[in-house]
């Protein structure tokens, strides 16, 4: 199998054993790599019904067939497990250089089970795998730990770490790498912490097997050139994802003040231009990336200063909008705190905003929180983040996530706990964007935007030229009511399209932002692997993975009902009070209409469970058989 290393590393921390196992050709054929490997390996290897933070949970790290090759943006690595945040299927990916280095050490993927008997660091140096005591690294920040390990082991090791949040099993702890890249979502950092793993360091010097090396060099060179010539190249790269902040405000999709509204008057102080002007020192990219969207910089605030990568759009929306920090350096500093503590910026900001709103409404006291807290106050945010990461006082409740914390507190606080399935919502307010709302509701890991970004379709459907809005000009303007109905086809197509890049192990942004043609990926795949794979066949594999991840959640939860896909009550009961979408909400009847159409188009029953017939039609007959009476 060209393109692949042909083996995975199995690590059993209970038995302190590490050994290679072959990568099956069937797995590579049907699931391609990356997220596809994560899903199939979890289905086959995860013991059903285990506690997500128990030693029995599996932590999977997977690359794709294009990862690590000399071709554009080949640095993506995928992490998967049973989610401590939702109890269902979890994955999260990061850029950087860890996955490529894992391949240079000889492995397409890793599967880690058990729990080390003391805090440890796993060091993979080519064929040698050692578990070393973490010593004083345990308790250190995620960024600090990476720096210290680089000093100890050598600059040529690629390293992933967790911070105190991961050690303390915070259910939205992230895994950090490359001083600012994170596998942020679904609590993968807590699972790493539950295994007593502070860090994994990897170094390798193997060549990757390539079917046609001269052909790959030529095609890659052509693609790099093509990317540089794309009209969006000079416009998109300088600000990266932060560049979309203005657009989101103009269309009323910028979540503000715990998602109570969708427009921030201060957006020009926290947008992409502000990042470039006030924070950025230089650009920073992942392995082989020609469009480095990372903005490494320096933030100075009243509470201190820090070097930090970011903030990218999500962190701007969550800390600048949802927590209402009104200047970009404060947003960047909150970003740094999360990175060092090992918290997902998205979930941490949603939890902090919920706590502040509870305080404002008199549901939480200053005695419980240790202080008065308010929106827009960096010191409040800093103290809340530290409470969460260290599980101090009320932080122990907050560390369980906004769904759990609001169920504990009650008193109506569940209505403004902004999540789906237990995973906190990301940076797009969607009460007047039914396609985006449906994307959030049906994303397999919980409320996350990267599976299907249907906002552009919504805005275009609401009689506004989305491109004119993105390219600037014009003030906020009222949009017509986006009609509910007919969204499922676009959302489903996007749910197959965007994760397709996750199977290959490359970044999707060159396609999404610059419009690189899919034929380039077909060509690269064949040159690397020697196997012809049409884009349609890749989308079929992506679709198979989509049904499989739902099946994993169905098995782990012992059943799924449609309530699992419902948005928070705030979006169904409170009209947007201000901004371009003032007055809009989505009704419960509209939510059910969206789900009815989506389930029917997916071939799922009205509870949201894939039918036997659907699973069999997508090559998942064995999955249907194991699910037995859970499906019809
Ligand atoms: Fe990494 Fe950004 Fe480049 Fe994608 S576009 S590979 S996320 S630097």
């Amino acid at each position: 199998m060209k393109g692949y290393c042909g083996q995975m590393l199995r690590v059993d921390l209970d038995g302190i054993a590490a050994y290679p196992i072959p990568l099956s050709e069937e797995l590579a054929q049907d699931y391609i790599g990356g997220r596809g490997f994560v899903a199939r390996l979890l289905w086959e290897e995860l013991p059903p019904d285990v506690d997500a933070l128990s030693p029995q949970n599996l932590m999977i790290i997977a690359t794709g067939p294009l990862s690590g090759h000399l071709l554009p943006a080949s640095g993506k690595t995928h992490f998967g497990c049973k989610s401590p945040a939702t109890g269902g299927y979890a994955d999260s990916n990061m850029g950087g250089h860890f996955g490529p280095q894992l391949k240079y050490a000889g492995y397409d993927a890793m599967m880690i089970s058990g729990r080390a008997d003391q805090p440890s660091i796993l060091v993979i140096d080519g064929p040698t795998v050692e578990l070393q005591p973490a010593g004083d690294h345990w308790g250190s920040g995620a960024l600090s730990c990476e720096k210290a390990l680089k000093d100890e082991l050598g600059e040529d090791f690629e390293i992933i770490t967790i911070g105190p949040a991961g050690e303390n099993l915070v259910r939205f702890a992230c895994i950090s790498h490359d001083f600012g890249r994170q596998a942020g979502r679904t609590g993968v950092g807590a699972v790493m912490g539950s295994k007593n793993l502070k860090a994994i360091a990897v170094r390798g010097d193997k060549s990757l097997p390539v079917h046609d090396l001269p052909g790959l060099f030529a095609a890659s060179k052509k693609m790099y050139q093509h990317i540089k010539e794309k009209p969006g190249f000079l416009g998109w790269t300088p600000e990266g994802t932060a560049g979309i902040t203005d657009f989101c405000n103009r269309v009323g999709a910028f979540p503000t003040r715990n998602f109570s509204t969708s427009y921030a008057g201060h957006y020009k102080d926290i947008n992409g231009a502000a990042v470039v002007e006030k924070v950025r020192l230089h650009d920073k990219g992942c392995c082989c990336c020609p469009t480095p969207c990372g903005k490494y910089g320096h933030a100075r605030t009243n509470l201190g200063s820090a070097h930090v990568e970011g903030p990218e759009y999500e962190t701007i929306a969550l800390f600048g909008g949802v927590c209402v920090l009104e200047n970009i350096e404060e947003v960047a500093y909150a970003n740094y705190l999360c990175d060092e503590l090992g918290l997902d910026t998205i979930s941490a900001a949603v939890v902090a905003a919920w706590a502040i709103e509870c305080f404002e409404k008199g549901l939480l006291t200053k005695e419980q929180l240790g202080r008065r807290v308010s929106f827009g106050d960096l010191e409040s945010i800093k103290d809340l983040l530290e409470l969460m990461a260290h599980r101090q006082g009320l932080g122990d409740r907050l560390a369980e996530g906004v769904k759990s914390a609001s169920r504990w507190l009650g008193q109506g606080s569940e209505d403004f706990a902004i999540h789906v399935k237990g995973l906190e919502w990301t940076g797009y307010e969607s009460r007047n964007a039914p396609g985006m709302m449906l994307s959030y509701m049906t994303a397999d890991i919980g409320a996350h935007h990267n599976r299907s970004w249907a906002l552009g379709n919504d805005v275009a459907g609401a009689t506004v030229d989305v491109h004119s809005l993105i390219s600037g000009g014009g003030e906020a303007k009222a949009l017509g009511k986006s009609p509910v109905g007919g969204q499922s086809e676009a959302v489903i197509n996007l749910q197959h399209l965007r994760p397709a890049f996750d199977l290959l192990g490359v970044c999707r942004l060159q396609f999404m932002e610059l419009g690189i043609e899919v034929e380039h990926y077909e060509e690269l795949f064949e040159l690397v692997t020697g196997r012809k794979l049409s884009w349609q066949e890749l989308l079929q594999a992506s679709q198979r993975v989509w049904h499989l991840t739902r099946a994993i959640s169905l098995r782990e939860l012992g059943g799924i009902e449609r309530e699992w896909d419902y948005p928070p009550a705030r979006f169904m009961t409170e009209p947007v009070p201000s901004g371009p979408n003032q007055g809009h909400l989505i009704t419960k009847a509209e939510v059910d209409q969206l789900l009815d159409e989506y389930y029917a188009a997916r071939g799922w029953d009205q509870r949201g469970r894939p039918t036997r017939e659907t699973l069999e039609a997508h090559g998942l007959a064995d999955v249907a058989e194991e699910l037995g009476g859970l499906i019809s």
Side-chain angles (χ1 to χ4, degrees):
M1 283 186 293
K2 296 286 170 57
Y4 300 90
C5 301
Q7 62 179 8
M8 300 184 283
L9 181 65
R10 188 75 161 88
V11 179
D12 172 9
L13 294 168
D14 286 337
I16 316 183
Y19 47 91
I21 54 175
L23 177 79
S24 86
E25 288 203 23
E26 200 181 1
L27 181 67
Q29 182 82 22
D30 294 343
Y31 293 91
I32 314 297
R35 185 168 175 269
F37 283 1
V38 166
R40 188 67 207 187
L41 292 170
L42 280 176
W43 177 261
E44 290 181 359
E45 303 286 338
L46 176 70
D49 204 26
V50 300
D51 186 308
L53 296 176
S54 72
Q56 289 75 35
N57 198 1
L58 266 187
M59 178 174 159
I60 294 175
I61 306 174
T63 67
L66 300 189
S67 301
H69 290 279
L70 187 57
L71 52 87
S74 60
K76 288 288 181 183
T77 312
H78 294 261
F79 295 77
C81 55
K82 176 172 179 170
S83 173
T86 70
Y89 169 81
D91 72 46
S92 190
N93 75 60
M94 66 164 57
H97 304 79
F98 183 85
Q101 201 66 217
L102 186 64
K103 285 184 82 170
Y104 306 151
Y107 306 106
D108 295 303
M110 291 176 67
M111 262 189 290
I112 306 170
S113 59
R115 172 182 164 86
D117 61 5
Q118 63 175 322
S120 301
I121 291 162
L122 188 67
V123 180
I124 304 163
D125 195 358
T128 305
V129 183
E130 273 184 3
L131 198 61
Q132 301 178 359
D136 291 344
H137 295 301
W138 194 257
S140 65
L143 304 173
S144 304
C145 182
E146 183 175 0
K147 164 82 170 64
L149 286 174
K150 285 256 182 192
D151 290 345
E152 278 174 33
L153 297 170
E155 188 63 37
D156 49 348
F157 275 88
E158 294 298 343
I159 298 165
I160 58 173
T161 60
I162 58 169
E167 297 173 14
N168 294 323
L169 311 184
V170 176
R171 288 179 188 269
F172 43 91
C174 67
I175 295 173
S176 182
H177 165 59
D178 207 15
F179 305 103
R181 293 279 159 184
Q182 282 85 20
R185 309 248 58 208
T186 68
V188 290
V191 172
M192 191 162 154
S194 75
K195 302 198 169 303
N196 250 339
L197 273 183
K198 178 68 180 177
I200 302 176
V202 61
R203 176 171 69 176
D205 60 4
K206 281 178 182 280
S207 296
L208 300 182
V210 170
H211 169 69
D212 179 351
L213 193 56
L216 179 64
F217 277 158
S220 293
K221 193 173 170 190
K222 189 175 71 182
M223 192 168 163
Y224 278 113
Q225 194 61 36
H226 189 50
I227 288 170
K228 284 171 65 179
E229 288 163 0
K230 278 284 176 185
F233 177 73
L234 289 177
W236 185 76
T237 303
E239 294 182 7
T241 60
I244 202 173
T245 308
D246 292 8
F247 162 75
C248 288
N249 273 279
R250 285 197 202 98
V251 302
F254 192 73
T256 304
R257 199 168 275 265
N258 196 24
F259 293 83
S260 60
T261 189
S262 61
Y263 178 85
H266 61 283
Y267 75 90
K268 287 182 181 165
D269 296 320
I270 55 171
N271 63 7
V275 172
V276 173
E277 185 190 338
K278 301 261 178 60
V279 177
R280 177 190 169 278
L281 295 173
H282 61 80
D283 292 344
K284 183 163 170 280
C286 309
C287 178
C288 305
C289 180
T291 56
C293 69
K295 306 296 150 199
Y296 199 74
H298 188 240
R300 287 141 301 205
T301 72
N302 291 339
L303 298 186
S305 65
H307 284 93
V308 60
E309 178 171 340
E312 43 74 64
Y313 172 72
E314 292 302 325
T315 302
I316 288 174
L318 272 297
F319 279 115
V322 173
C323 293
V324 207
L325 294 179
E326 292 194 348
N327 76 67
I328 196 63
E329 291 191 83
E330 292 195 343
V331 173
Y333 193 70
N335 192 156
Y336 159 76
L337 291 171
C338 285
D339 290 359
E340 182 72 335
L341 291 167
L343 293 164
D344 171 34
T345 57
I346 295 167
S347 289
V350 171
V351 172
W354 173 84
I356 293 169
E357 185 164 344
C358 287
F359 178 74
E360 284 188 343
K361 288 183 156 76
L363 306 178
L364 289 174
T365 65
K366 78 174 172 20
E367 287 72 29
Q368 285 173 298
L369 290 162
R371 55 165 294 144
R372 302 177 67 82
V373 292
S374 59
F375 287 111
D377 175 37
L378 180 61
E379 199 167 344
S380 298
I381 305 297
K382 176 176 182 283
D383 289 353
L384 285 168
L385 295 176
E386 284 173 355
L387 282 186
M388 290 173 212
H390 296 288
R391 284 188 176 269
Q392 289 166 343
L394 193 79
D396 196 36
R397 293 285 181 190
L398 301 180
E400 293 294 298
V402 79
K403 177 182 177 183
S404 171
S406 65
R407 283 192 173 173
W408 162 76
L409 183 62
Q411 304 176 69
S413 67
E414 301 99 322
D415 292 354
F416 55 87
I418 310 299
H419 69 92
V420 179
K421 303 177 175 65
L423 187 73
E424 290 77 13
W425 200 281
T426 70
Y428 306 94
E429 206 292 320
S430 307
R431 271 173 280 192
N432 191 26
M436 197 67 213
M437 180 69 75
L438 183 61
S439 299
Y440 274 116
M441 288 157 56
T442 58
D444 51 1
I445 59 169
H448 196 53
H449 59 281
N450 81 342
R451 302 296 203 250
S452 161
W453 196 82
L455 183 63
N457 303 45
D458 288 319
V459 174
T463 72
V464 177
D465 176 0
V466 63
H467 297 292
S468 74
L469 289 165
I470 290 173
S471 60
E475 291 305 309
K477 55 175 140 180
L479 304 177
K481 169 77 176 169
S482 295
V484 172
Q487 277 81 19
S488 32
E489 188 183 348
V491 169
I492 287 171
N493 284 340
L494 286 167
Q495 286 176 340
H496 300 157
L497 177 65
R498 293 169 71 95
F501 295 88
D502 299 344
L503 309 189
L504 296 172
V506 294
C507 179
R508 67 175 180 279
L509 291 176
Q510 292 68 32
F511 171 81
M512 293 293 167
E513 304 295 341
L514 304 181
I516 291 301
E517 299 76 10
V518 297
E519 289 76 16
H520 286 282
Y521 295 96
E522 292 175 335
E523 183 185 16
L524 292 175
F525 186 84
E526 185 176 355
L527 290 165
V528 168
T529 66
R531 173 186 164 197
K532 268 193 183 302
L533 181 78
S534 71
W535 191 255
Q536 280 311 314
E537 289 169 321
L538 185 68
L539 292 180
Q540 282 167 13
S542 186
Q543 188 170 3
R544 183 178 307 123
V545 173
W546 197 267
H547 292 297
L548 180 57
T549 60
R550 188 76 170 188
I552 292 169
S553 292
L554 180 53
R555 180 180 70 178
E556 293 308 310
L557 297 164
I560 284 176
E561 303 297 333
R562 68 166 47 206
E563 287 73 18
W564 207 49
D565 294 329
Y566 277 173
R570 165 159 280 169
F571 297 161
M572 297 187 282
T573 55
E574 293 179 27
V576 179
S578 58
N581 285 323
Q582 185 174 6
H584 287 301
L585 55 66
I586 188 158
T587 65
K588 165 87 167 30
E590 289 171 329
V591 162
D592 278 323
Q593 183 188 340
L594 285 170
L595 287 178
D596 287 345
E597 290 175 8
Y598 179 88
Y599 293 158
R602 273 267 173 228
W604 296 357
D605 68 19
Q606 286 303 299
R607 298 170 295 182
R609 304 182 187 194
T611 64
R612 190 173 307 280
E613 188 183 353
T614 297
L615 292 174
E616 288 173 355
H618 291 90
L620 297 166
D622 61 323
V623 173
E625 191 178 334
E626 191 176 326
L627 289 174
L630 287 174
I631 57 171
S632 51

